[in-house]
mmCIF file of all heavy atoms in Angstrom:
data_model
loop_
_atom_site.group_PDB
_atom_site.id
_atom_site.type_symbol
_atom_site.label_atom_id
_atom_site.label_comp_id
_atom_site.label_asym_id
_atom_site.label_seq_id
_atom_site.Cartn_x
_atom_site.Cartn_y
_atom_site.Cartn_z
ATOM 1 N N GLU A 1423 -56.227 3.808 -20.611
ATOM 2 C CA GLU A 1423 -56.509 5.319 -20.314
ATOM 3 C C GLU A 1423 -57.746 5.532 -19.566
ATOM 4 O O GLU A 1423 -57.753 6.405 -18.603
ATOM 5 C CB GLU A 1423 -56.309 5.986 -21.521
ATOM 6 C CG GLU A 1423 -54.922 6.098 -22.106
ATOM 7 C CD GLU A 1423 -54.691 6.997 -23.269
ATOM 8 O OE1 GLU A 1423 -55.726 7.535 -23.818
ATOM 9 O OE2 GLU A 1423 -53.583 7.110 -23.794
ATOM 10 N N GLN A 1424 -58.853 4.882 -19.862
ATOM 11 C CA GLN A 1424 -60.135 5.084 -19.117
ATOM 12 C C GLN A 1424 -60.013 4.571 -17.731
ATOM 13 O O GLN A 1424 -60.512 5.122 -16.778
ATOM 14 C CB GLN A 1424 -61.244 4.455 -19.888
ATOM 15 C CG GLN A 1424 -61.659 5.200 -21.145
ATOM 16 C CD GLN A 1424 -62.924 4.624 -21.729
ATOM 17 O OE1 GLN A 1424 -63.314 3.423 -21.483
ATOM 18 N NE2 GLN A 1424 -63.510 5.358 -22.687
ATOM 19 N N LEU A 1425 -59.322 3.514 -17.635
ATOM 20 C CA LEU A 1425 -59.057 2.922 -16.231
ATOM 21 C C LEU A 1425 -58.160 3.808 -15.445
ATOM 22 O O LEU A 1425 -58.363 3.903 -14.234
ATOM 23 C CB LEU A 1425 -58.462 1.567 -16.340
ATOM 24 C CG LEU A 1425 -59.410 0.384 -16.926
ATOM 25 C CD1 LEU A 1425 -58.546 -0.951 -16.973
ATOM 26 C CD2 LEU A 1425 -60.518 0.186 -16.040
ATOM 27 N N GLU A 1426 -57.211 4.435 -16.039
ATOM 28 C CA GLU A 1426 -56.343 5.476 -15.246
ATOM 29 C C GLU A 1426 -57.342 6.561 -14.719
ATOM 30 O O GLU A 1426 -57.157 6.942 -13.538
ATOM 31 C CB GLU A 1426 -55.406 6.120 -16.147
ATOM 32 C CG GLU A 1426 -54.270 5.146 -16.625
ATOM 33 C CD GLU A 1426 -53.487 5.871 -17.708
ATOM 34 O OE1 GLU A 1426 -53.438 7.167 -17.811
ATOM 35 O OE2 GLU A 1426 -52.967 5.262 -18.585
ATOM 36 N N PHE A 1427 -58.245 6.972 -15.541
ATOM 37 C CA PHE A 1427 -59.231 8.090 -15.056
ATOM 38 C C PHE A 1427 -59.965 7.630 -13.858
ATOM 39 O O PHE A 1427 -60.085 8.367 -12.912
ATOM 40 C CB PHE A 1427 -60.132 8.400 -16.221
ATOM 41 C CG PHE A 1427 -61.285 9.387 -15.778
ATOM 42 C CD1 PHE A 1427 -60.923 10.718 -15.724
ATOM 43 C CD2 PHE A 1427 -62.529 8.844 -15.659
ATOM 44 C CE1 PHE A 1427 -62.025 11.570 -15.309
ATOM 45 C CE2 PHE A 1427 -63.558 9.752 -15.319
ATOM 46 C CZ PHE A 1427 -63.323 11.095 -15.204
ATOM 47 N N LEU A 1428 -60.498 6.416 -13.899
ATOM 48 C CA LEU A 1428 -61.252 5.944 -12.744
ATOM 49 C C LEU A 1428 -60.360 5.628 -11.586
ATOM 50 O O LEU A 1428 -60.753 5.949 -10.449
ATOM 51 C CB LEU A 1428 -61.958 4.587 -13.218
ATOM 52 C CG LEU A 1428 -62.827 3.957 -12.113
ATOM 53 C CD1 LEU A 1428 -63.872 4.825 -11.530
ATOM 54 C CD2 LEU A 1428 -63.402 2.641 -12.672
ATOM 55 N N GLY A 1429 -59.256 5.026 -11.812
ATOM 56 C CA GLY A 1429 -58.299 4.779 -10.783
ATOM 57 C C GLY A 1429 -57.863 6.065 -9.962
ATOM 58 O O GLY A 1429 -57.732 5.917 -8.728
ATOM 59 N N ASP A 1430 -57.710 7.168 -10.596
ATOM 60 C CA ASP A 1430 -57.373 8.340 -9.900
ATOM 61 C C ASP A 1430 -58.408 8.725 -8.961
ATOM 62 O O ASP A 1430 -58.222 9.127 -7.783
ATOM 63 C CB ASP A 1430 -57.307 9.447 -10.924
ATOM 64 C CG ASP A 1430 -56.908 10.827 -10.358
ATOM 65 O OD1 ASP A 1430 -55.732 10.933 -9.804
ATOM 66 O OD2 ASP A 1430 -57.674 11.740 -10.519
ATOM 67 N N ALA A 1431 -59.676 8.610 -9.314
ATOM 68 C CA ALA A 1431 -60.862 8.909 -8.435
ATOM 69 C C ALA A 1431 -60.983 7.935 -7.195
ATOM 70 O O ALA A 1431 -61.116 8.360 -6.139
ATOM 71 C CB ALA A 1431 -62.101 8.949 -9.139
ATOM 72 N N VAL A 1432 -60.676 6.616 -7.502
ATOM 73 C CA VAL A 1432 -60.727 5.624 -6.493
ATOM 74 C C VAL A 1432 -59.600 5.920 -5.530
ATOM 75 O O VAL A 1432 -59.809 5.868 -4.224
ATOM 76 C CB VAL A 1432 -60.610 4.254 -7.167
ATOM 77 C CG1 VAL A 1432 -60.458 3.207 -5.941
ATOM 78 C CG2 VAL A 1432 -61.884 3.904 -7.844
ATOM 79 N N LEU A 1433 -58.389 6.224 -5.967
ATOM 80 C CA LEU A 1433 -57.280 6.626 -5.119
ATOM 81 C C LEU A 1433 -57.606 7.791 -4.133
ATOM 82 O O LEU A 1433 -57.296 7.741 -3.035
ATOM 83 C CB LEU A 1433 -56.052 6.888 -5.995
ATOM 84 C CG LEU A 1433 -55.253 5.676 -6.401
ATOM 85 C CD1 LEU A 1433 -54.314 6.079 -7.585
ATOM 86 C CD2 LEU A 1433 -54.327 5.261 -5.259
ATOM 87 N N ASP A 1434 -58.031 8.855 -4.732
ATOM 88 C CA ASP A 1434 -58.371 10.091 -3.887
ATOM 89 C C ASP A 1434 -59.374 9.706 -2.779
ATOM 90 O O ASP A 1434 -59.165 10.183 -1.712
ATOM 91 C CB ASP A 1434 -58.952 11.118 -4.797
ATOM 92 C CG ASP A 1434 -57.875 12.038 -5.464
ATOM 93 O OD1 ASP A 1434 -56.746 11.816 -5.107
ATOM 94 O OD2 ASP A 1434 -58.207 12.920 -6.212
ATOM 95 N N MET A 1435 -60.428 8.998 -3.140
ATOM 96 C CA MET A 1435 -61.494 8.660 -2.172
ATOM 97 C C MET A 1435 -60.971 7.814 -1.012
ATOM 98 O O MET A 1435 -61.131 7.922 0.140
ATOM 99 C CB MET A 1435 -62.627 8.008 -2.759
ATOM 100 C CG MET A 1435 -63.752 7.728 -1.780
ATOM 101 S SD MET A 1435 -65.189 6.870 -2.428
ATOM 102 C CE MET A 1435 -64.405 5.229 -2.789
ATOM 103 N N LEU A 1436 -60.126 6.710 -1.380
ATOM 104 C CA LEU A 1436 -59.647 5.775 -0.464
ATOM 105 C C LEU A 1436 -58.450 6.389 0.354
ATOM 106 O O LEU A 1436 -58.280 6.005 1.558
ATOM 107 C CB LEU A 1436 -59.256 4.417 -1.127
ATOM 108 C CG LEU A 1436 -60.377 3.648 -1.658
ATOM 109 C CD1 LEU A 1436 -59.994 2.402 -2.313
ATOM 110 C CD2 LEU A 1436 -61.418 3.234 -0.562
ATOM 111 N N ALA A 1437 -57.634 7.206 -0.219
ATOM 112 C CA ALA A 1437 -56.618 7.864 0.477
ATOM 113 C C ALA A 1437 -57.233 8.885 1.573
ATOM 114 O O ALA A 1437 -56.676 8.899 2.672
ATOM 115 C CB ALA A 1437 -55.788 8.679 -0.448
ATOM 116 N N SER A 1438 -58.415 9.477 1.175
ATOM 117 C CA SER A 1438 -59.019 10.460 2.105
ATOM 118 C C SER A 1438 -59.538 9.586 3.277
ATOM 119 O O SER A 1438 -59.394 9.965 4.442
ATOM 120 C CB SER A 1438 -60.192 11.152 1.449
ATOM 121 O OG SER A 1438 -59.713 11.915 0.340
ATOM 122 N N GLU A 1439 -60.206 8.486 2.980
ATOM 123 C CA GLU A 1439 -60.729 7.586 4.065
ATOM 124 C C GLU A 1439 -59.688 7.122 4.992
ATOM 125 O O GLU A 1439 -59.807 7.079 6.249
ATOM 126 C CB GLU A 1439 -61.430 6.387 3.355
ATOM 127 C CG GLU A 1439 -62.025 5.408 4.311
ATOM 128 C CD GLU A 1439 -62.416 4.145 3.597
ATOM 129 O OE1 GLU A 1439 -61.659 3.326 3.355
ATOM 130 O OE2 GLU A 1439 -63.688 4.042 3.281
ATOM 131 N N TYR A 1440 -58.503 6.677 4.427
ATOM 132 C CA TYR A 1440 -57.427 6.133 5.215
ATOM 133 C C TYR A 1440 -56.784 7.230 6.197
ATOM 134 O O TYR A 1440 -56.560 6.898 7.321
ATOM 135 C CB TYR A 1440 -56.401 5.619 4.250
ATOM 136 C CG TYR A 1440 -55.192 5.038 4.890
ATOM 137 C CD1 TYR A 1440 -55.162 3.666 5.432
ATOM 138 C CD2 TYR A 1440 -53.969 5.708 5.060
ATOM 139 C CE1 TYR A 1440 -54.142 3.147 6.078
ATOM 140 C CE2 TYR A 1440 -52.859 5.144 5.721
ATOM 141 C CZ TYR A 1440 -53.031 3.842 6.216
ATOM 142 O OH TYR A 1440 -51.910 3.313 6.892
ATOM 143 N N LEU A 1441 -56.634 8.303 5.610
ATOM 144 C CA LEU A 1441 -56.036 9.461 6.431
ATOM 145 C C LEU A 1441 -56.973 9.979 7.542
ATOM 146 O O LEU A 1441 -56.628 10.151 8.612
ATOM 147 C CB LEU A 1441 -55.692 10.656 5.583
ATOM 148 C CG LEU A 1441 -54.386 10.442 4.631
ATOM 149 C CD1 LEU A 1441 -54.305 11.447 3.655
ATOM 150 C CD2 LEU A 1441 -53.106 10.310 5.416
ATOM 151 N N LEU A 1442 -58.280 9.893 7.286
ATOM 152 C CA LEU A 1442 -59.258 10.286 8.342
ATOM 153 C C LEU A 1442 -59.230 9.347 9.420
ATOM 154 O O LEU A 1442 -59.269 9.693 10.548
ATOM 155 C CB LEU A 1442 -60.588 10.405 7.702
ATOM 156 C CG LEU A 1442 -60.975 11.675 6.996
ATOM 157 C CD1 LEU A 1442 -62.296 11.531 6.273
ATOM 158 C CD2 LEU A 1442 -61.101 12.842 7.905
ATOM 159 N N ALA A 1443 -59.117 8.045 9.152
ATOM 160 C CA ALA A 1443 -59.064 6.946 10.153
ATOM 161 C C ALA A 1443 -57.791 7.023 10.896
ATOM 162 O O ALA A 1443 -57.721 6.866 12.082
ATOM 163 C CB ALA A 1443 -59.230 5.628 9.528
ATOM 164 N N ALA A 1444 -56.651 7.226 10.204
ATOM 165 C CA ALA A 1444 -55.318 7.224 10.851
ATOM 166 C C ALA A 1444 -55.023 8.490 11.655
ATOM 167 O O ALA A 1444 -54.418 8.409 12.702
ATOM 168 C CB ALA A 1444 -54.265 7.083 9.797
ATOM 169 N N PHE A 1445 -55.577 9.636 11.201
ATOM 170 C CA PHE A 1445 -55.271 10.909 11.934
ATOM 171 C C PHE A 1445 -56.547 11.748 12.112
ATOM 172 O O PHE A 1445 -56.807 12.746 11.474
ATOM 173 C CB PHE A 1445 -54.305 11.704 11.136
ATOM 174 C CG PHE A 1445 -53.022 10.996 10.795
ATOM 175 C CD1 PHE A 1445 -52.783 10.497 9.458
ATOM 176 C CD2 PHE A 1445 -52.065 10.838 11.807
ATOM 177 C CE1 PHE A 1445 -51.637 9.862 9.221
ATOM 178 C CE2 PHE A 1445 -50.877 10.181 11.459
ATOM 179 C CZ PHE A 1445 -50.629 9.603 10.159
ATOM 180 N N PRO A 1446 -57.432 11.198 13.124
ATOM 181 C CA PRO A 1446 -58.770 11.852 13.159
ATOM 182 C C PRO A 1446 -58.687 13.348 13.745
ATOM 183 O O PRO A 1446 -59.664 14.084 13.675
ATOM 184 C CB PRO A 1446 -59.397 11.034 14.292
ATOM 185 C CG PRO A 1446 -58.260 10.241 14.970
ATOM 186 C CD PRO A 1446 -57.191 10.102 13.919
ATOM 187 N N ASP A 1447 -57.535 13.747 14.381
ATOM 188 C CA ASP A 1447 -57.512 15.145 14.910
ATOM 189 C C ASP A 1447 -56.849 16.149 13.892
ATOM 190 O O ASP A 1447 -56.724 17.280 14.229
ATOM 191 C CB ASP A 1447 -56.515 15.115 16.134
ATOM 192 C CG ASP A 1447 -57.217 14.169 17.238
ATOM 193 O OD1 ASP A 1447 -58.307 14.193 17.286
ATOM 194 O OD2 ASP A 1447 -56.358 13.625 17.939
ATOM 195 N N TRP A 1448 -56.440 15.700 12.736
ATOM 196 C CA TRP A 1448 -55.842 16.645 11.700
ATOM 197 C C TRP A 1448 -56.836 17.566 11.218
ATOM 198 O O TRP A 1448 -58.081 17.203 10.976
ATOM 199 C CB TRP A 1448 -55.175 15.803 10.620
ATOM 200 C CG TRP A 1448 -53.857 15.289 10.979
ATOM 201 C CD1 TRP A 1448 -53.247 15.499 12.132
ATOM 202 C CD2 TRP A 1448 -52.904 14.572 10.123
ATOM 203 N NE1 TRP A 1448 -52.000 14.869 12.060
ATOM 204 C CE2 TRP A 1448 -51.742 14.260 10.831
ATOM 205 C CE3 TRP A 1448 -53.004 14.162 8.761
ATOM 206 C CZ2 TRP A 1448 -50.696 13.564 10.366
ATOM 207 C CZ3 TRP A 1448 -51.839 13.349 8.299
ATOM 208 C CH2 TRP A 1448 -50.724 13.181 9.013
ATOM 209 N N SER A 1449 -56.369 18.798 10.759
ATOM 210 C CA SER A 1449 -57.275 19.719 10.089
ATOM 211 C C SER A 1449 -57.394 19.362 8.637
ATOM 212 O O SER A 1449 -56.697 18.477 8.027
ATOM 213 C CB SER A 1449 -56.542 21.062 10.128
ATOM 214 O OG SER A 1449 -55.401 21.127 9.305
ATOM 215 N N GLU A 1450 -58.415 20.077 7.919
ATOM 216 C CA GLU A 1450 -58.659 19.815 6.605
ATOM 217 C C GLU A 1450 -57.388 20.027 5.770
ATOM 218 O O GLU A 1450 -57.070 19.355 4.847
ATOM 219 C CB GLU A 1450 -59.786 20.647 6.109
ATOM 220 C CG GLU A 1450 -60.096 20.427 4.674
ATOM 221 C CD GLU A 1450 -61.230 21.448 4.138
ATOM 222 O OE1 GLU A 1450 -61.726 22.172 4.964
ATOM 223 O OE2 GLU A 1450 -61.577 21.372 2.913
ATOM 224 N N GLY A 1451 -56.705 21.110 6.259
ATOM 225 C CA GLY A 1451 -55.489 21.465 5.415
ATOM 226 C C GLY A 1451 -54.430 20.386 5.543
ATOM 227 O O GLY A 1451 -53.840 20.061 4.590
ATOM 228 N N GLN A 1452 -54.184 19.916 6.705
ATOM 229 C CA GLN A 1452 -53.201 18.760 6.850
ATOM 230 C C GLN A 1452 -53.664 17.532 6.130
ATOM 231 O O GLN A 1452 -52.805 16.893 5.434
ATOM 232 C CB GLN A 1452 -53.094 18.364 8.343
ATOM 233 C CG GLN A 1452 -52.330 19.383 9.239
ATOM 234 C CD GLN A 1452 -52.318 18.858 10.674
ATOM 235 O OE1 GLN A 1452 -53.427 18.799 11.332
ATOM 236 N NE2 GLN A 1452 -51.173 18.663 11.202
ATOM 237 N N LEU A 1453 -54.957 17.236 6.161
ATOM 238 C CA LEU A 1453 -55.431 16.068 5.364
ATOM 239 C C LEU A 1453 -55.216 16.302 3.846
ATOM 240 O O LEU A 1453 -54.864 15.257 3.165
ATOM 241 C CB LEU A 1453 -56.948 15.806 5.678
ATOM 242 C CG LEU A 1453 -57.169 15.370 7.118
ATOM 243 C CD1 LEU A 1453 -58.664 15.459 7.415
ATOM 244 C CD2 LEU A 1453 -56.727 13.936 7.305
ATOM 245 N N SER A 1454 -55.534 17.475 3.340
ATOM 246 C CA SER A 1454 -55.494 17.729 1.866
ATOM 247 C C SER A 1454 -53.964 17.558 1.469
ATOM 248 O O SER A 1454 -53.745 17.001 0.428
ATOM 249 C CB SER A 1454 -55.981 19.156 1.556
ATOM 250 O OG SER A 1454 -57.340 19.181 1.821
ATOM 251 N N LYS A 1455 -53.043 18.189 2.207
ATOM 252 C CA LYS A 1455 -51.659 18.153 1.851
ATOM 253 C C LYS A 1455 -51.134 16.662 1.964
ATOM 254 O O LYS A 1455 -50.375 16.169 1.075
ATOM 255 C CB LYS A 1455 -50.842 19.079 2.775
ATOM 256 C CG LYS A 1455 -51.075 20.524 2.530
ATOM 257 C CD LYS A 1455 -50.323 21.326 3.505
ATOM 258 C CE LYS A 1455 -50.535 22.812 3.369
ATOM 259 N NZ LYS A 1455 -49.879 23.579 4.421
ATOM 260 N N SER A 1456 -51.603 15.921 2.893
ATOM 261 C CA SER A 1456 -51.160 14.578 3.049
ATOM 262 C C SER A 1456 -51.661 13.692 1.944
ATOM 263 O O SER A 1456 -50.986 12.820 1.341
ATOM 264 C CB SER A 1456 -51.552 13.957 4.433
ATOM 265 O OG SER A 1456 -51.079 14.782 5.556
ATOM 266 N N ARG A 1457 -52.945 13.830 1.583
ATOM 267 C CA ARG A 1457 -53.488 13.194 0.499
ATOM 268 C C ARG A 1457 -52.750 13.336 -0.857
ATOM 269 O O ARG A 1457 -52.448 12.431 -1.580
ATOM 270 C CB ARG A 1457 -54.906 13.443 0.281
ATOM 271 C CG ARG A 1457 -55.595 12.605 -0.812
ATOM 272 C CD ARG A 1457 -57.100 12.997 -1.004
ATOM 273 N NE ARG A 1457 -57.258 14.430 -1.351
ATOM 274 C CZ ARG A 1457 -58.430 15.106 -1.394
ATOM 275 N NH1 ARG A 1457 -59.408 14.500 -0.908
ATOM 276 N NH2 ARG A 1457 -58.503 16.360 -1.656
ATOM 277 N N ALA A 1458 -52.371 14.633 -1.089
ATOM 278 C CA ALA A 1458 -51.702 15.035 -2.237
ATOM 279 C C ALA A 1458 -50.405 14.297 -2.331
ATOM 280 O O ALA A 1458 -49.851 13.806 -3.399
ATOM 281 C CB ALA A 1458 -51.488 16.550 -2.385
ATOM 282 N N ARG A 1459 -49.649 14.138 -1.193
ATOM 283 C CA ARG A 1459 -48.372 13.547 -1.160
ATOM 284 C C ARG A 1459 -48.496 12.016 -1.192
ATOM 285 O O ARG A 1459 -47.670 11.261 -1.800
ATOM 286 C CB ARG A 1459 -47.571 13.952 0.072
ATOM 287 C CG ARG A 1459 -47.229 15.369 0.130
ATOM 288 C CD ARG A 1459 -46.317 15.707 1.327
ATOM 289 N NE ARG A 1459 -45.149 15.161 1.246
ATOM 290 C CZ ARG A 1459 -44.157 15.376 2.097
ATOM 291 N NH1 ARG A 1459 -44.360 16.191 3.170
ATOM 292 N NH2 ARG A 1459 -42.985 14.803 2.014
ATOM 293 N N LEU A 1460 -49.630 11.527 -0.654
ATOM 294 C CA LEU A 1460 -49.861 10.051 -0.624
ATOM 295 C C LEU A 1460 -50.097 9.452 -2.008
ATOM 296 O O LEU A 1460 -49.603 8.304 -2.267
ATOM 297 C CB LEU A 1460 -51.019 9.692 0.323
ATOM 298 C CG LEU A 1460 -51.164 8.320 0.864
ATOM 299 C CD1 LEU A 1460 -49.940 7.875 1.634
ATOM 300 C CD2 LEU A 1460 -52.410 8.250 1.627
ATOM 301 N N VAL A 1461 -50.799 10.250 -2.862
ATOM 302 C CA VAL A 1461 -51.141 9.743 -4.132
ATOM 303 C C VAL A 1461 -50.516 10.470 -5.285
ATOM 304 O O VAL A 1461 -51.047 10.430 -6.417
ATOM 305 C CB VAL A 1461 -52.665 9.602 -4.264
ATOM 306 C CG1 VAL A 1461 -53.284 8.695 -3.220
ATOM 307 C CG2 VAL A 1461 -53.296 11.000 -4.276
ATOM 308 N N ASN A 1462 -49.428 11.223 -5.060
ATOM 309 C CA ASN A 1462 -48.811 11.821 -6.181
ATOM 310 C C ASN A 1462 -48.151 10.971 -7.055
ATOM 311 O O ASN A 1462 -47.951 9.825 -6.854
ATOM 312 C CB ASN A 1462 -47.974 13.128 -5.709
ATOM 313 C CG ASN A 1462 -46.670 12.651 -5.001
ATOM 314 O OD1 ASN A 1462 -46.195 11.433 -5.143
ATOM 315 N ND2 ASN A 1462 -46.057 13.426 -4.174
ATOM 316 N N ALA A 1463 -47.704 11.553 -8.263
ATOM 317 C CA ALA A 1463 -47.063 10.579 -9.276
ATOM 318 C C ALA A 1463 -45.809 9.866 -8.814
ATOM 319 O O ALA A 1463 -45.641 8.670 -9.102
ATOM 320 C CB ALA A 1463 -46.751 11.535 -10.562
ATOM 321 N N ARG A 1464 -45.074 10.539 -7.953
ATOM 322 C CA ARG A 1464 -43.824 9.998 -7.487
ATOM 323 C C ARG A 1464 -44.145 8.765 -6.611
ATOM 324 O O ARG A 1464 -43.552 7.689 -6.641
ATOM 325 C CB ARG A 1464 -42.976 11.037 -6.691
ATOM 326 C CG ARG A 1464 -41.713 10.391 -6.175
ATOM 327 C CD ARG A 1464 -40.817 9.816 -7.111
ATOM 328 N NE ARG A 1464 -39.500 9.403 -6.531
ATOM 329 C CZ ARG A 1464 -38.606 8.648 -7.132
ATOM 330 N NH1 ARG A 1464 -38.776 8.267 -8.422
ATOM 331 N NH2 ARG A 1464 -37.501 8.443 -6.536
ATOM 332 N N ALA A 1465 -45.126 8.963 -5.616
ATOM 333 C CA ALA A 1465 -45.473 7.879 -4.769
ATOM 334 C C ALA A 1465 -46.089 6.666 -5.480
ATOM 335 O O ALA A 1465 -45.843 5.519 -5.172
ATOM 336 C CB ALA A 1465 -46.548 8.484 -3.837
#
């Protein structure tokens, strides 16, 4: 369970980094929505 907590933070950071590199022209709103879909429970 403690690892889950840490993993959630690592996922958010690395997903943000990945999307910024892949889509440098996207707005903050697009990036936020994409990150939420990229690391949601279903994904």
Side-chain angles (χ1 to χ4, degrees):
E1423 290 182 357
Q1424 288 185 344
L1425 290 178
E1426 290 170 28
F1427 172 78
L1428 176 59
D1430 181 64
V1432 173
L1433 274 161
D1434 270 355
M1435 183 181 70
L1436 291 178
S1438 300
E1439 176 191 86
Y1440 181 78
L1441 289 168
L1442 279 170
F1445 305 104
D1447 298 328
W1448 277 2
S1449 68
E1450 180 184 358
Q1452 284 178 301
L1453 292 167
S1454 295
K1455 289 174 182 176
S1456 299
R1457 182 181 62 192
R1459 295 184 67 176
L1460 195 61
V1461 299
N1462 66 20
R1464 178 61 174 166

